[in-house]
Amino acid sequence: MSTPPLSVTPQPSDVQSLKSVNFISGSDSTIRRRLFLSRVFAWCCRIATYSALAALVALLASIIVNCLGRLNLSFITSVNSVDPAEAGILAGLWGSFWLISLTTLMSVPLGIGSAVYLEEYAKDTWLTRVIKVNLSNLAGVPSIVYGMLGLTVFVRMFDLFGSSAAKSKAINLLGIVKIPLPLGDIILAGALTMTLVILPIIIIASQEALRAVPSSIRTASLALGATRWQTIRHQVLPAAMPGISTGVILAVSRAIGDTAPLIMIGALTVARFCPAGIDSPVKLLTEPQRILQAPMDQFTAMPIEIFHWAKQPGDDFSPVAASGIVVLLLVLSVFNGFAVWIRYRTSRGLKW
Amino acid sequence: MVTFIETLRSPIERKAMATSPTTVLRVPPAVAGVDRDMDMSQHPAAITARGMNFYYGENQVLFDVNLTVPERSVTALIGPSGCGKSTFLRTLNRMNDLIEGTRCTGEVLIQGQNIMEPAVDVVLLRKHVGMVFQKSTPFPKSIFDNVAYGPRVAGERNRAILADLVESCLQKAALWEEVKDRLGESAMALSGGQQQRLCIARALATNPQILLMDEPASALDPASTSRIEDLIGELCANYTIVIVTHNMQQASRVSHQTAFFFEGNLVEVGPTTQIFTSPSQKKTEDYITGRFG
C-alpha cells in the first residue's frame, strides 16, 4: 500500500482571476473613509492633549506675571507680615518641610510594609479581601474627612487627657523630647493626619508595583533555596522599587499641596515663627537639639499661607499669593525631579 | 494499513521499521553520556515515591503513584497535557506548597527521609533538589549574580569562593566559554538557549544531588534544544535528573527510564528502550505512536 502523492501545485479550478488592486491611496471610497476617520481620531487626541496643556500654560503664565516684582530672595527668607511688601513664606516653608519629612518617615515604612504583607504573605481570606477593597475606598475619601478624624484622634485624643487648650500633661521621652498630651495643633498631629491621607495611596501604588513583578521570579528564587524574606528582599522589592518610589513621591507631592486637613486640625493661619526657631538649614547642623523639638511646635504650611494671602481684600496681597504659589510649585518640581532620579537609579540596578 | 503518523516518516525510516516488526517507534540514538542499556538495578534509589495522591482542592490529580528514580540516571516523565506529570515533579521539591489549597498524601523518600513530613525544612530540601523551569527565568541581575544567588542566600560571602563556584557551574552548564568575558552584564541580554543554560548553572550552584527539569527545552529552537540534551547527557554522570517532556524523541534520546502518566495515574514505567519499543500497556503504545495526546 502506498500513500497518495501529496500535491502542492494548485489545480486549475482553484485559481481565480485576481482582482487588480490599486495601491495608490484614495482609490477606494471605503478605504478613503477609514483613513479619514483614522486621521480625525488622531486629531481629537492631539486636541485633548494640547487643550489641557494650554490651560496649564495660561495658569502658569498669569501666576508668573503676577509674582514679578514681588518674588525675590527676601520672600523666602522672611516670615509673614501685615505689610504685603514684607510678607514672606519662610514659616510656611519650614512648616511644610517638617510636616512632609515626618509624614514620609511614618507613611513609607507603613505603606510598603502593608503592601508587602497583603501581596506576598496574606492568604486569600475574606478579611484580606475586605481590606483590599476598602483601600481603594479610603484612597478616594476627601482629605477634609481625615482632617476631622485627625482632630478627634490626634489633636484632642478623645479628650481623654482633658481639654487640649490646657496642655497640662506630657510624656517625657528619654528626657530629650516632651510630647504633650493631648497632642494639640502641633506638627506631629498634622503629620499623623497627613499620613492617614496618603497611606492608602502609597499602599495601592506599592501593591500595583509588587503585582507587576512576574511570579516566575519568586518561584525561581524559592526553588534555589531562598527563604520567603530573602526572595522579597533580593528579588521582589528591587524589581518593584521603581514603581513603589514613583507612587510614594506622587503621594508625598499630594501631601505638600493639601490644605484642608491642616486647617481642620487647627494649623496656624498666620505664624511669624519657624518651628523650634529653626529658620535656616545652617541651624539644623549648629543646633541639632532643636530638631527633636520641632515636631512638637505649632506650625503653618505653604498652602495655608497662600490661601490666607489669596483671600485678603484688595489686590495688595495678590502678588504675594502668586509668589507663594511659584515657591510651592518649585518645591513640587524638586520632589518630582527627585522621583525621576530615584526611578532611574533603582531601575538601573535591575538588568532587565 | 498505513497510519497517518507513518506517512510522516521518511522511506528509510519506514523500511527500518518494517525490518523490526516489534518496534513501535524507531528509537533515536541516545545522546552521549546516556547509556540506555545501563543496569539500573545497580543504582541505589535517589527518590522513592510510594502511594502518592495529590489534590487541588477537592480535585484529585494524582492517584496512588509509585515510582523509584535510581541515582545518577535520567528519568523522563511523559504524558498528555494535564496528566499530572508536572505536578508530580513539583512535589519532589515541595514547590506545590506555594499553591494555596493543595494537599498531598503518601510518601516521597529522598535519602531515606519522607520529604512530605510537615517538619521538613523546604529551604534545605530545595537546595538539595534543584529545579529548572520551562520558561527560563533569569533574575534581572548580572550573569555572575544570577549564578551566585543560591550560594549567597545560603550565606556564602567569600568573593573568591563565589567566583570559583560561578566558573565551575557555568562550565558544567556549557556556558562558560560564551560568557566568561561578560559576567557583569545583564542575564536578560542572553539568548533563550543561553538563559536556560544559565538557569541550569544557577541550579547547580546550590550543589544539589537531584535536578528536576520541567520541559526545559520546549521554548527553545532545535539547536539550543540539542545543546540542552547534550548537557543532560553530561550531567547525569553526577546528578540524578528527572525531566518532564512533551517531546517523545527527546524523552527517548536523553533518558534511562521513562514513566508514562495518564489522567493522574502512572500507567507504565520501565527502561526507556523497552517503553519505546515494546510497551506492555496499550495506552502507552497509543500515546507514543501519536494516536492520541
Side-chain angles (χ1 to χ4, degrees), chain A residues 21-97:
Chain A
V21 177
N22 183 0
F23 292 106
I24 308 301
S25 84
S27 62
D28 186 316
S29 68
T30 336
I31 293 175
R32 219 162 34 215
R33 211 177 99 81
R34 279 165 51 197
L35 281 175
F36 173 72
L37 281 176
S38 175
R39 276 194 212 109
V40 167
F41 182 70
W43 270 104
C44 288
C45 294
R46 199 164 293 159
I47 289 167
T49 310
Y50 284 112
S51 55
L53 202 66
L56 201 66
V57 168
L59 208 65
L60 269 178
S62 92
I63 288 167
I64 289 172
V65 167
N66 220 334
C67 82
L68 289 178
R70 180 64 196 89
L71 184 60
N72 49 28
L73 199 62
S74 77
F75 181 74
I76 53 169
T77 53
S78 53
V79 293
N80 203 355
S81 160
V82 285
D83 181 1
E86 283 176 15
I89 201 168
L90 188 66
L93 206 55
W94 278 105
S96 287
F97 169 80

Side-chain angles (χ1 to χ4, degrees), chain A residues 206-251:
Chain A
S206 305
Q207 275 183 299
E208 293 291 337
L210 289 170
R211 236 174 279 156
V213 177
S215 64
S216 57
I217 296 278
R218 296 181 180 87
T219 324
S221 172
L222 290 169
L224 288 170
T227 61
R228 215 170 250 268
W229 156 240
Q230 284 172 325
T231 301
I232 292 170
R233 163 76 187 77
H234 296 291
Q235 302 297 341
V236 180
L237 274 182
M241 219 15 119
I244 291 178
S245 52
T246 308
V248 165
I249 301 283
L250 287 179

Side-chain angles (χ1 to χ4, degrees), chain A residues 67-134:
Chain A
C67 82
L68 289 178
R70 180 64 196 89
L71 184 60
N72 49 28
L73 199 62
S74 77
F75 181 74
I76 53 169
T77 53
S78 53
V79 293
N80 203 355
S81 160
V82 285
D83 181 1
E86 283 176 15
I89 201 168
L90 188 66
L93 206 55
W94 278 105
S96 287
F97 169 80
W98 291 111
L99 185 73
I100 293 311
S101 305
L102 277 178
T103 305
T104 312
L105 222 58
M106 291 187 287
S107 61
V108 168
L110 275 179
I112 298 179
S114 314
V116 167
Y117 171 72
L118 288 173
E119 287 304 312
E120 305 290 327
Y121 289 102
K123 290 216 166 69
D124 190 24
T125 63
W126 66 269
L127 181 65
T128 54
R129 251 175 280 159
V130 166
I131 293 175
K132 283 182 185 181
V133 168
N134 280 296

